[in-house]
């Protein structure tokens, strides 16, 4: 039996979303945002030299068709990407009315989001008083701190000292459908934070808020605060079966790496391995060496998005892409005959764009192990249909296989 490895390079958009003008960073529509092109242009112009130098070097992604797929999606110039693709390549557009992690991943797994997400207004305060009262009571606190749209690192720097003194959780949101709760791992307690998120998540999910996110941090007011790797997402439950369920229900194994377990609330997942991206790459290598015949390995590499896209760090994003590409070069020769390795993304997060939020873009679809050629402009749901077809599993969603 065949095996499939579905790998999400979180936020590596390639521009050209047909509805980009309907999505915004502040007052600016996402029309013209292009994560990959703007990183490559900055590198070629010498504007991304921190920790690296020169044009963007991702030869393995390029050989699979990364440059070709961007040119299919967008008219943005992509300096230096001229290789003839050796894999299947194309681009895909999303229909869900969100440019967030659950929307992108659910749709990649065959399920467009069937409702409008609840997004909190960019106002001060951002949350209704009945919600903040509920959260404070669940925390055993006299109130909450934050109550606004914010960058996670900034709001912890602003309110960390007051949080440690008062015991009030720091609550904030973004343009995505999220309710984030930050708390100190020692003074507040990691398990207490996770219990708080579990307690308030059902109410927020009923409001159609996509995720409640625990954001633990450590440090002191004097030396500064640092978020830890113990983040936990409490996502809304899936309303219908998706790719992971299709594969598991067929009696085949599903292995999750990274955020996948949180995004899909462990639905249809047999094993889960988490960690920073360097650890996740090791887990992916182990899966390629050890995963059973007929299995699906579904991985998400989040640090492109969390460390560099949101922080508008062009050089950092370029470094991460070059690291990922070098690691990919070690993995490709380890694939077995009959394996599929499908590389894609879930949305954009253009580090050259104003604001700090995701950008509405098309995504690359690059496939190793299934021949070569252009698959054209596709839908996100076609990814799920194609992986299911490769694994000889019945697809239950609206997608069409490109195999």
């Amino acid at each position: 039996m065949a095996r499939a490895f579905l790998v999400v390079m979180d936020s590596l958009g390639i521009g050209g979303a047909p509805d980009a003008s309907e999505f915004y960073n502040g007052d600016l529509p996402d029309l013209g945002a292009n994560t990959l092109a703007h990183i490559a242009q900055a590198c070629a112009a010498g504007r991304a030299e921190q920790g690296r130098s020169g044009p963007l070097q991702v030869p393995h992604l390029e050989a699979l068709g990364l440059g070709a797929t961007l040119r299919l999606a967008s008219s943005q110039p992509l300096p230096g990407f001229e290789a003839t693709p050796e894999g299947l390549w194309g681009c895909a557009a999303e229909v869900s009315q969100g440019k967030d992690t659950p929307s992108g991943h659910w749709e990649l797994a065959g399920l467009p989001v069937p409702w409008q997400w609840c997004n909190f207004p960019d106002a001060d305060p951002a949350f209704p008083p009945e919600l903040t009262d509920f959260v404070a009571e669940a925390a055993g606190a006299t109130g909450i701190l934050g109550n606004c749209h914010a960058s996670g690192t900034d709001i912890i720097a602003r309110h960390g000292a007051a949080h440690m003194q008062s015991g009030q959780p720091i609550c904030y949101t973004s343009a995505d459908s999220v309710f984030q709760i930050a708390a100190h791992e020692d003074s507040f307690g990691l398990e207490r934070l996770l219990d708080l998120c579990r307690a308030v998540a059902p109410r927020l999910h009923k409001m159609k808020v996509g995720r409640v996110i625990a954001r633990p941090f450590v440090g002191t007011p004097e030396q500064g605060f640092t978020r830890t790797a113990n983040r936990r997402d409490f996502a809304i439950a899936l309303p219908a079966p998706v790719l992971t369920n299709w594969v598991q229900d067929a009696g085949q194994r599903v292995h999750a790496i990274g955020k996948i377990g949180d995004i899909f609330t462990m639905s249809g997942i047999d094993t889960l391995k988490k960690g920073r991206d360097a650890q996740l790459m090791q887990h992916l290598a182990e899966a390629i060496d050890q995963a059973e015949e007929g299995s699906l390995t579904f991985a998400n590499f989040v640090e492109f998005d969390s460390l560099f896209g949101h922080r508008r760090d062009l050089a950092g994003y370029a470094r991460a892409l070059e690291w990922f590409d070098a690691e990919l070069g070690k993995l490709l020769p380890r694939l077995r005959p009959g394996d599929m390795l499908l590389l894609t993304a879930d949305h954009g997060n253009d580090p050259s764009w104003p604001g700090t939020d995701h950008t509405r873009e098309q995504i690359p679809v690059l496939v190793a192990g299934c021949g070569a050629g252009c698959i054209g402009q596709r839908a996100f749901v076609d990814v799920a249909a194609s992986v299911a077809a490769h694994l000889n599993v019945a697809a239950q969603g609206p997608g069409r296989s490109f195999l």
Side-chain angles (χ1 to χ4, degrees):
M1 296 176 69
R3 303 185 303 170
F5 302 89
L6 174 53
V7 179
V8 178
M9 300 173 288
D10 200 304
S11 83
L12 186 62
I14 53 173
D19 56 0
S21 62
E22 300 172 21
F23 294 81
Y24 287 79
N25 265 259
D27 296 329
L28 180 71
D30 289 341
L31 192 65
N34 193 316
T35 301
L36 176 62
H38 290 154
I39 292 169
Q41 291 166 15
C43 291
R47 292 186 286 107
E49 297 290 298
Q50 295 77 23
R52 60 165 309 282
S53 184
L56 183 65
Q57 300 291 331
V58 287
H60 302 100
L61 288 167
E62 183 184 357
L64 288 175
L66 186 60
T69 192
L70 184 140
R71 287 187 288 272
L72 180 64
S74 166
S75 60
Q76 285 274 358
L78 188 65
F81 284 67
E82 304 297 338
T84 300
E86 298 173 2
L88 292 179
W89 58 274
C91 60
E94 186 176 10
V95 299
S96 299
Q97 291 304 298
K99 53 178 179 176
D100 53 273
T101 294
S103 295
H105 281 77
W106 285 17
E107 199 165 325
L108 287 170
L111 178 67
V113 177
W115 53 64
Q116 185 73 39
W117 294 112
C118 169
N119 297 89
F120 295 107
D122 191 357
D124 191 1
F127 309 125
E130 60 271 19
L131 177 59
T132 58
D133 290 345
F134 173 74
V135 173
E137 182 178 357
T142 57
I144 69 166
L145 299 167
N147 200 352
C148 59
H149 281 233
S151 155
T153 52
D154 290 345
I155 202 164
I156 290 168
R158 284 207 312 268
H159 295 294
H163 159 73
M164 294 181 71
Q165 189 172 46
S166 68
Q168 295 181 359
I170 304 170
C171 302
Y172 62 104
T173 188
S174 70
D176 290 345
S177 181
V178 294
F179 187 88
Q180 306 197 65
I181 307 178
H184 198 282
E185 284 199 358
D186 299 322
S187 67
F188 191 89
L190 176 59
E191 289 305 316
R192 183 182 172 196
L193 170 61
L194 298 178
D195 287 343
L196 172 60
C197 291
R198 289 189 191 98
V200 303
R203 178 163 179 161
L204 285 146
H205 293 164
K206 190 174 181 179
M207 297 167 60
K208 294 296 186 284
V209 175
R211 288 176 292 164
V212 175
I213 305 177
R215 289 288 198 173
F217 63 95
V218 294
T220 65
E222 296 77 20
Q223 296 182 344
F225 299 109
T226 304
R227 295 196 296 194
T228 75
N230 292 319
R231 164 182 170 161
R232 176 79 181 275
D233 292 31
F234 296 83
I236 195 169
L238 294 156
V242 295
L243 175 64
T244 55
N245 306 109
W246 309 343
V247 175
Q248 193 181 65
D249 291 348
Q252 295 160 223
R253 300 271 287 173
V254 179
H255 306 293
I257 296 175
K259 291 174 57 178
I260 300 301
D262 290 340
I263 295 167
F264 294 99
T265 61
M266 290 301 292
S267 180
I269 293 170
D270 293 296
T271 69
L272 171 65
K273 293 185 176 180
K274 302 182 75 173
R276 301 294 296 267
D277 275 9
Q279 296 168 299
L280 301 183
M281 187 62 74
Q282 294 175 7
H283 296 323
L284 179 58
E286 291 166 1
I288 288 174
D289 290 342
Q290 302 170 12
E292 307 90 344
E293 294 299 312
S295 64
L296 167 65
T297 299
F298 197 167
N300 170 282
F301 287 83
V302 71
E303 291 179 1
F304 300 117
D305 182 63
S306 61
L307 297 186
F308 309 115
H310 285 299
R311 300 183 188 182
R312 298 305 191 247
D313 182 350
L314 279 159
Y317 207 132
R319 288 196 309 273
L321 282 173
E322 290 172 338
W323 165 80
F324 182 91
D325 187 83
E327 296 297 317
L328 177 64
K330 302 172 188 175
L331 297 183
L332 289 171
R334 293 157 74 165
L335 294 172
R336 301 175 189 169
D339 283 348
M340 163 194 272
L341 173 64
L342 193 156
L343 298 156
T344 188
D346 54 341
H347 49 68
N349 202 348
D350 188 339
S352 74
W353 210 244
T356 60
D357 296 321
H358 297 150
T359 44
R360 183 72 161 190
E361 302 179 43
Q362 293 197 69
I363 57 169
V365 180
L366 306 173
V367 185
C370 296
C374 177
I375 61 172
Q377 293 185 305
R378 313 293 302 203
F380 274 36
V381 291
D382 294 346
V383 169
S386 303
V387 172
H390 180 75
L391 294 175
N392 197 28
V393 167
Q396 302 172 33
R400 295 180 301 109
S401 173
F402 49 70
L403 296 181

